[in-house]
Amino acid sequence: DMEFGGKTGTAQVAGEGSHAWFMGFSTDESFPYAVVVLAENGGGGSDVAVPIASKVMKELKNSLC
């Protein structure tokens, strides 16, 4: 029930696992919030960081509305 814009990323570090990133924001003007997720050694951004960001934004919206 929310629409987002955002960008995923995967930062590769020599000798370590990849770090998963996601930066996203609500496109709804009545809900002007953004979120950044970094999961160290978590894997890929879209596989790991996006689901975390989605849960955070849903909880935020439920607590404010």
Side-chain angles (χ1 to χ4, degrees):
D1 63 338
M2 290 188 289
E3 291 189 26
F4 285 89
K7 177 70 176 125
T8 61
T10 303
Q12 298 174 329
V13 180
E16 297 182 29
S18 298
H19 303 321
W21 286 85
F22 178 71
M23 186 291 305
F25 58 94
S26 169
T27 57
D28 181 351
E29 290 183 15
S30 67
F31 187 70
Y33 293 95
V35 64
V36 174
V37 174
L38 165 62
E40 292 186 45
N41 302 310
S46 60
D47 294 334
V48 176
V50 170
I52 295 169
S54 177
K55 289 178 184 179
V56 168
M57 292 298 269
K58 285 178 184 177
E59 288 296 322
L60 178 61
K61 188 166 186 176
N62 288 338
S63 69
L64 295 175
C65 298

